[in-house]
Amino acid sequence: VRAAAGGRRHRPGGALSAGQRRPLRFPWLWLSLGWLLVAGTVYFSLVPSPPTTDVVINDKLLHFAIYCVLAGWFAGIYQRSRYPHIALALLVLGAVIELLQKAGGARLGEWLDLAANVAGIGTGLGLALIGFAGWCGWLERLVPGARHA
């Protein structure tokens, strides 16, 4: 799709590699994997008995890490102007999950978990702002044969 002003190519939905401002070649792949991460987050947050391991992981650190990865993932797909939308969507996701955990009774919904989520979102988007937003484009350049549009 050509944009009316300037004749630059633009993919619907704003899926651009923020670091280089070129359309991503595989936005469907990045978005599919991102939504799979979201679905996994929702599932493992709401399942009454999540799988356990012998490795002890601090619950708040896990919340932080998951939301940092989610924020960084979607920041790698969308332009910087979409970062507030990413932050708000992930904040709402985390709040709804905590409310559902509290209402379900099988899991504990904790507001400190939401605080850890917010810290992770901020860190993920902060890393994107200082230069890691173009990670999708970096990986796409490693794929031989295909060229950017």
Side-chain angles (χ1 to χ4, degrees), residues 99-121:
L99 290 171
L100 289 173
Q101 285 179 339
K102 199 171 204 72
R107 303 278 299 268
L108 296 175
E110 298 180 43
W111 293 114
L112 286 178
D113 288 348
L114 187 59
N117 297 350
V118 169
I121 294 166

Side-chain angles (χ1 to χ4, degrees), residues 1-4 7-16 22-23 79 82 149:
V1 178
R2 285 225 183 262
R8 294 183 316 201
R9 294 189 60 80
H10 175 71
R11 296 201 189 236
L16 296 176
R22 282 195 254 176
Q79 297 177 49
R82 296 286 186 97

Side-chain angles (χ1 to χ4, degrees), residues 4 13 15 27 30 33 35 40 57 60 66 69-70 72 76 79 89 106 118 122 131 133 137 144 146:
W30 305 121
L33 292 173
W35 283 107
I57 302 172
K60 304 310 178 250
I66 289 168
V69 167
L70 288 172
Q79 297 177 49
V118 169

Side-chain angles (χ1 to χ4, degrees), residues 41-51 59 62-63 97-110 113:
T41 299
V42 171
Y43 175 77
F44 287 110
S45 295
L46 296 178
V47 66
S49 298
D59 177 57
L62 186 59
H63 279 263
I97 286 173
E98 293 305 318
L99 290 171
L100 289 173
Q101 285 179 339
K102 199 171 204 72
R107 303 278 299 268
L108 296 175
E110 298 180 43
D113 288 348

Side-chain angles (χ1 to χ4, degrees), residues 43-101:
Y43 175 77
F44 287 110
S45 295
L46 296 178
V47 66
S49 298
T52 59
T53 65
D54 292 335
V55 178
V56 177
I57 302 172
N58 180 288
D59 177 57
K60 304 310 178 250
L61 183 59
L62 186 59
H63 279 263
F64 172 86
I66 289 168
Y67 282 82
C68 182
V69 167
L70 288 172
W73 188 276
F74 286 103
I77 299 169
Y78 290 103
Q79 297 177 49
R80 186 174 287 189
S81 63
R82 296 286 186 97
Y83 290 5
H85 299 101
I86 293 169
L88 181 60
L90 291 175
L91 175 63
V92 168
L93 174 68
V96 168
I97 286 173
E98 293 305 318
L99 290 171
L100 289 173
Q101 285 179 339

